[in-house]
Amino acid sequence: MQAVCRKATADDVEILVELIADYAAKGIMLPRSREVLLRQIDTFVVAEVEGTVVGCGSLCRLGTDLVEVRSLGISEGYKGFGIGSKLIDFLLGEAREQRIPKVMALTYEARFFQKNGFTVVDKEIFPEKVWTDCVNCPKQHACDEIAVLKTLN
Ligand SMILES: CC(C)(COP(=O)(O)OP(=O)(O)OC[C@H]1O[C@@H](n2cnc3c(N)ncnc32)[C@H](O)[C@@H]1OP(=O)(O)O)[C@@H](O)C(=O)NCCC(=O)NCCS
C-alpha cells in the first residue's frame, strides 16, 4: 500500500478530529478538541493513501533538546502496512530539521517503537514530561504506558 506523508494543514482538522476521537474513545489516545487541533495543526503530520488521510502523528516540544511523539494513529484497515513507520520517519525528519536530538513517546505499543529504533527507558528520566503532563493525569500513580526514546545522530 503506497502512503505519502506530509505536514497537516487546516483542511485536515475535521478528519483529525474523527481519527483522534476514535482512539480516545478506546482509551489509547488523549482527546483533542477541534479548537486545540486548529491551534496546534503546525505540529501535526498526516499519511495519505490515494488522497485519503489514513493516519496522523504530532510532535510536542517538551524542552530544548526533547520532543514527544503524540497522537500517532493509523485507521482501521490500514494498520500493518508500514504506514505508522513511515509517519515515525517523517516525524524524526521534522525533529532533525528543528535540531532536536531526543524524541520520546509514552505508549502501549512499545514493540512498534522498538522496531523503529526506539529504546524502552524509565519515565523518570523525563522530568519535563512528568512535571507538566503526568502530574495532572488521573493515572499518575498507576501509569501503565511505556516510555520509549530515540536519540538522533
Ligand atoms: C501502533 C500503530 C501506530 C502502528 O502503525 P502500523 O502502520 O500498523 O505499523 P507498521 O506497519 O509500520 O509496523 C512496523 C513494525 O512494527 C510492528 N508492529 C506494529 N504494531 C505492533 C504491535 N501492536 N505489536 C507488535 N508489533 C507491532 C509490525 O509488525 C512491523 O514489524 P515488521 O517491520 O517486522 O513487519 C498502529 O497500529 C495504531 O494506530 N495503533 C493504535 C493507536 C496507538 O496505539 N498509537 C500509539 C500511540 S503512542
Side-chain angles (χ1 to χ4, degrees), residues 30 32 40 60-63 66-70 104 106 123 126-141 143 145:
L30 288 174
R32 301 270 179 248
Q40 298 179 352
C60 173
R61 192 184 266 267
L62 294 181
L66 180 66
V67 275
E68 178 182 9
V69 173
R70 285 192 182 177
M104 62 84 68
L106 278 182
K123 287 188 225 11
F126 303 117
E128 303 94 327
K129 176 73 186 168
V130 172
W131 295 111
T132 51
D133 298 330
C134 300
V135 284
N136 297 314
C137 178
K139 287 206 230 166
Q140 186 189 154
H141 297 295
C143 178
E145 290 193 303

Side-chain angles (χ1 to χ4, degrees), residues 5 45 56-59 69-70 72 74 82-96 103-105 112-113 115-118 148 150 152:
C5 296
V45 301
C56 65
S58 73
L59 278 189
V69 173
R70 285 192 182 177
L72 181 74
I74 306 296
I83 303 175
S85 301
K86 230 175 191 176
L87 273 176
I88 288 286
D89 272 355
F90 197 77
L91 289 167
L92 294 177
E94 293 280 296
R96 268 196 196 92
V103 182
M104 62 84 68
F112 163 76
F113 278 93
K115 291 248 172 178
N116 282 286
F118 286 72
V148 291
K150 179 159 178 153
L152 302 177

